[in-house]
Amino acid sequence: MHQLQKTTYQLIDLLAVAGFIADRVLKFIAEHLPPGKVFAFAPGLHFGYYLNPALFFFPAWQWIPWVALIVLIALTTYYILHTTYSHIPLLLILLGGTSNVFDRFAYNGVIDYIEIFKLATINIADIMILAGILIIVWRKSA
């Protein structure tokens, strides 16, 4: 592998970790906003505190966080044992999932802080998970 490729992958890894940290910081900020306080930062996009007890539009049954924790442990084990430079989607899913699973245990729901046109609320961890899944699907179809 060329040094430029290795450096690029290391930069992407660093950006994934920065996304995780940004997600945790933004969740902390949202959690400590005055009740009901929301900030518009673009047309149709708002920043605020939204505790989401549901999971993909389904009620979050009590056992789901435990299943998610087991899956994260399995992914972490796989990641440690099989790390290659094609691990980026797995790293995104792992970091995003870890942040959201932590919320499920700590708050009985996931802290979302971006509201999109009053239709959905998301966070950076959700975006990381979706990006990881899309990369996997894209690679499989290519």
Side-chain angles (χ1 to χ4, degrees):
M1 177 170 294
H2 294 70
Q3 182 61 33
L4 181 60
Q5 278 184 312
K6 185 176 179 183
T7 303
T8 301
Y9 286 126
Q10 289 171 337
L11 178 61
I12 293 169
D13 286 350
L14 184 62
L15 288 173
V17 171
F20 173 82
I21 293 169
D23 182 63
R24 295 308 314 163
V25 168
L26 289 171
K27 286 177 177 181
F28 179 83
I29 291 169
E31 181 184 13
H32 290 88
L33 287 174
K37 186 71 173 175
V38 176
F39 299 95
F41 61 91
L45 299 176
H46 298 91
F47 180 87
Y49 175 77
Y50 309 95
L51 185 63
N52 183 357
L55 180 69
F56 298 116
F57 307 107
F58 298 107
W61 299 287
Q62 295 248 332
W63 53 269
I64 289 178
W66 291 101
V67 171
L69 182 62
I70 291 167
V71 168
L72 284 172
I73 290 169
L75 283 174
T76 302
T77 302
Y78 180 85
Y79 178 79
I80 290 168
L81 296 176
H82 299 95
T83 298
T84 65
Y85 289 106
S86 63
H87 68 278
I88 292 166
L90 182 59
L91 180 62
L92 290 169
I93 294 168
L94 181 64
L95 291 174
T98 299
S99 184
N100 283 347
V101 167
F102 173 80
D103 287 355
R104 290 227 176 261
F105 281 105
Y107 307 106
N108 290 319
V110 173
I111 297 174
D112 289 332
Y113 43 79
I114 301 169
E115 182 184 54
I116 304 170
F117 295 103
K118 299 191 185 244
L119 297 174
T121 57
I122 62 170
N123 57 46
I124 291 174
D126 296 337
I127 295 167
M128 291 171 64
I129 294 166
L130 180 61
I133 292 169
L134 290 175
I135 291 169
I136 290 170
V137 169
W138 176 70
R139 284 185 180 172
K140 294 285 184 193
S141 66

